[in-house]
């Protein structure tokens, strides 16, 4: 009878030593790597500490702070590999799981609405109006609206719907900025083939906020000429006449540029939005976009600067929205066009 094989001893698991970045790095280095300083990282962690706390008492379990740091590193760079190569300790598999878990916690509506809010009260709207009017003298503005495309990898379902006019797969994101470059509304759920005007038409902003009169009279958004003219959405003249229309267009262009610069700031702060986001399904990309928007506002509230781009080049927004296709005049809402004429004649008769 053969002797039994000797029992194989189980090798003890080896864990990579984790760097305590909150204590080892100063605020400048933390902002460069994670876009938040130490106090900001702890602030964001406290928002979701409960959902991110692992009940097990095992060693080497990632703390809520480390989970936030892993996600921030991914959003800042767009590269999951850097999260595991950056002395943070987790394996690539753990990084992917942690990012999914942390995104889920931060993208809850209860969290997002604490930091992304559209002005509807007289006090809120008046404050926005004053801020915008200081830019170029354009009255009655509470926000500037635009769309921006975030590139994604080809989804496994409804792939064709995500191909935009430039021929790549994307999410078309509607975003509104105030004059201080904070995001007051964001819609991140539509495939790249969907036009800006349809996204606006289907949004709660159109159907509820302005549609049901939740905003005081005399409050407007500024949009480019790809949007329909409405009493609450002012667009530029395609062929302005000398006088009020030209004066209106000049102030409109300067004031509306806030949204273009705001999108540029958002994408410079979180580079994940600049390249192709290679996660599936697209709904997870939408979570990433909304969490980036919320974190951008938190950075604004805490006066955290945007680190200089590593290549020191100015990054510009997607050119898809610089020259949007124009609908024929007969298809544009006549009521909105007449209101725009009255508005321009009332406020821009003299070149200020």
């Amino acid at each position: 009878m053969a002797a039994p094989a000797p029992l194989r001893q189980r090798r003890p698991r080896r864990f990579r030593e984790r760097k305590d970045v909150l204590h080892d790095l100063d605020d400048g280095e933390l902002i460069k790597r994670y876009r938040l300083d130490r106090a900001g990282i702890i602030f964001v962690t406290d928002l979701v500490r409960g959902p991110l706390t692992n009940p097990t008492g095992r060693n080497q379990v990632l703390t809520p702070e480390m989970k936030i740091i892993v996600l921030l590193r991914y959003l800042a760079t767009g590269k999951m590999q850097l999260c595991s190569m950056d002395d943070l300790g987790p394996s690539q598999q753990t990084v992917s799981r942690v990012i999914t878990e942390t995104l889920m916690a931060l993208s809850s509506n209860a969290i997002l609405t604490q930091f992304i809010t559209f002005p509807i009260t007289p006090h809120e709207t008046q404050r926005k109006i004053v801020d915008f009017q200081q830019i170029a003298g354009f009255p009655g503005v509470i926000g500037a609206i635009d769309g921006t495309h975030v590139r994604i990898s080809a989804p496994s379902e409804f792939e064709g719907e995500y191909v935009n006019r430039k021929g790549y797969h994307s999410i078309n994101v509607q975003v509104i900025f105030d004059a201080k470059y904070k995001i007051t509304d964001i819609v991140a759920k539509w495939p790249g083939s969907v036009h800006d005007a349809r996204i606006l038409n289907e949004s709660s902003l159109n159907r509820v906020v302005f549609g049901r009169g939740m905003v005081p009279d005399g409050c407007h958004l500024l949009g480019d000429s790809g949007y329909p003219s409405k009493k609450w959405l002012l667009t530029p003249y395609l062929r302005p006449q000398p006088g009020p229309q030209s004066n209106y267009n000049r102030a409109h262009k300067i004031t509306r540029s806030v949204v273009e610069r705001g999108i540029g700031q958002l994408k410079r702060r979180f580079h994940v939005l600049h390249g192709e986001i290679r996660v599936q399904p697209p709904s997870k990309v939408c979570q990433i976009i909304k969490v980036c928007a919320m974190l951008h506002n938190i950075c604004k509230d805490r006066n955290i600067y945007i680190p200089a781009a590593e290549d020191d080049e100015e990054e510009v927004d997607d050119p898809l929205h610089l020259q949007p296709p124009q609908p024929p005049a007969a298809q544009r809402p006549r009521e909105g066009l007449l209101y725009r004429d009255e508005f321009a004649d009332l406020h821009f008769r003299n070149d200020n």
Side-chain angles (χ1 to χ4, degrees), residues 18-26 30:
R18 289 174 185 161
K19 192 173 183 179
D20 187 355
V21 297
L22 285 179
H23 292 91
D24 293 347
L25 303 180
D26 61 26
L30 288 172

mmCIF file of all heavy atoms in Angstrom, residues 18-26 30:
data_model
loop_
_atom_site.group_PDB
_atom_site.id
_atom_site.type_symbol
_atom_site.label_atom_id
_atom_site.label_comp_id
_atom_site.label_asym_id
_atom_site.label_seq_id
_atom_site.Cartn_x
_atom_site.Cartn_y
_atom_site.Cartn_z
ATOM 1 N N ARG A 18 0.836 49.028 1.841
ATOM 2 C CA ARG A 18 0.058 50.146 1.341
ATOM 3 C C ARG A 18 0.612 51.468 1.855
ATOM 4 O O ARG A 18 0.953 51.598 3.030
ATOM 5 C CB ARG A 18 -1.406 50.002 1.750
ATOM 6 C CG ARG A 18 -2.099 48.879 1.000
ATOM 7 C CD ARG A 18 -3.502 48.660 1.530
ATOM 8 N NE ARG A 18 -4.095 47.500 0.869
ATOM 9 C CZ ARG A 18 -5.128 46.839 1.339
ATOM 10 N NH1 ARG A 18 -5.678 47.209 2.467
ATOM 11 N NH2 ARG A 18 -5.610 45.808 0.677
ATOM 12 N N LYS A 19 0.629 52.405 0.974
ATOM 13 C CA LYS A 19 1.115 53.727 1.311
ATOM 14 C C LYS A 19 -0.003 54.520 1.988
ATOM 15 O O LYS A 19 -1.146 54.536 1.526
ATOM 16 C CB LYS A 19 1.560 54.434 0.031
ATOM 17 C CG LYS A 19 2.358 55.702 0.235
ATOM 18 C CD LYS A 19 2.873 56.174 -1.118
ATOM 19 C CE LYS A 19 3.738 57.412 -0.950
ATOM 20 N NZ LYS A 19 4.271 57.858 -2.250
ATOM 21 N N ASP A 20 0.303 55.177 3.090
ATOM 22 C CA ASP A 20 -0.681 56.005 3.782
ATOM 23 C C ASP A 20 -0.608 57.409 3.190
ATOM 24 O O ASP A 20 0.044 58.305 3.742
ATOM 25 C CB ASP A 20 -0.389 56.019 5.283
ATOM 26 C CG ASP A 20 -1.484 56.722 6.075
ATOM 27 O OD1 ASP A 20 -2.412 57.271 5.443
ATOM 28 O OD2 ASP A 20 -1.420 56.728 7.315
ATOM 29 N N VAL A 21 -1.275 57.587 2.048
ATOM 30 C CA VAL A 21 -1.110 58.833 1.296
ATOM 31 C C VAL A 21 -1.644 60.041 2.044
ATOM 32 O O VAL A 21 -1.146 61.157 1.868
ATOM 33 C CB VAL A 21 -1.781 58.730 -0.097
ATOM 34 C CG1 VAL A 21 -1.116 57.646 -0.933
ATOM 35 C CG2 VAL A 21 -3.272 58.472 0.025
ATOM 36 N N LEU A 22 -2.660 59.852 2.884
ATOM 37 C CA LEU A 22 -3.222 60.989 3.607
ATOM 38 C C LEU A 22 -2.212 61.610 4.567
ATOM 39 O O LEU A 22 -2.302 62.801 4.886
ATOM 40 C CB LEU A 22 -4.479 60.575 4.370
ATOM 41 C CG LEU A 22 -5.735 60.366 3.521
ATOM 42 C CD1 LEU A 22 -6.908 59.939 4.393
ATOM 43 C CD2 LEU A 22 -6.098 61.629 2.747
ATOM 44 N N HIS A 23 -1.278 60.807 5.036
ATOM 45 C CA HIS A 23 -0.272 61.321 5.964
ATOM 46 C C HIS A 23 1.091 61.494 5.302
ATOM 47 O O HIS A 23 1.894 62.315 5.755
ATOM 48 C CB HIS A 23 -0.152 60.390 7.178
ATOM 49 C CG HIS A 23 -1.368 60.382 8.048
ATOM 50 N ND1 HIS A 23 -2.417 59.487 7.860
ATOM 51 C CD2 HIS A 23 -1.732 61.185 9.093
ATOM 52 C CE1 HIS A 23 -3.359 59.730 8.760
ATOM 53 N NE2 HIS A 23 -2.971 60.738 9.513
ATOM 54 N N ASP A 24 1.357 60.743 4.250
ATOM 55 C CA ASP A 24 2.671 60.813 3.611
ATOM 56 C C ASP A 24 2.790 61.945 2.599
ATOM 57 O O ASP A 24 3.904 62.393 2.299
ATOM 58 C CB ASP A 24 2.989 59.491 2.900
ATOM 59 C CG ASP A 24 3.166 58.343 3.879
ATOM 60 O OD1 ASP A 24 3.283 58.618 5.096
ATOM 61 O OD2 ASP A 24 3.164 57.176 3.438
ATOM 62 N N LEU A 25 1.671 62.414 2.040
ATOM 63 C CA LEU A 25 1.701 63.442 0.999
ATOM 64 C C LEU A 25 1.138 64.750 1.527
ATOM 65 O O LEU A 25 0.175 64.760 2.305
ATOM 66 C CB LEU A 25 0.894 62.986 -0.221
ATOM 67 C CG LEU A 25 1.315 61.657 -0.869
ATOM 68 C CD1 LEU A 25 0.421 61.346 -2.054
ATOM 69 C CD2 LEU A 25 2.779 61.695 -1.305
ATOM 70 N N ASP A 26 1.706 65.854 1.070
ATOM 71 C CA ASP A 26 1.147 67.156 1.457
ATOM 72 C C ASP A 26 -0.054 67.476 0.576
ATOM 73 O O ASP A 26 -0.358 66.768 -0.395
ATOM 74 C CB ASP A 26 2.207 68.255 1.383
ATOM 75 C CG ASP A 26 2.789 68.441 -0.023
ATOM 76 O OD1 ASP A 26 2.095 68.119 -1.017
ATOM 77 O OD2 ASP A 26 3.931 68.921 -0.138
ATOM 78 N N LEU A 30 -1.441 65.794 -2.945
ATOM 79 C CA LEU A 30 -2.748 65.136 -2.942
ATOM 80 C C LEU A 30 -3.647 65.703 -4.036
ATOM 81 O O LEU A 30 -4.320 64.962 -4.754
ATOM 82 C CB LEU A 30 -3.417 65.291 -1.573
ATOM 83 C CG LEU A 30 -2.828 64.477 -0.419
ATOM 84 C CD1 LEU A 30 -3.458 64.888 0.902
ATOM 85 C CD2 LEU A 30 -3.027 62.972 -0.654
#
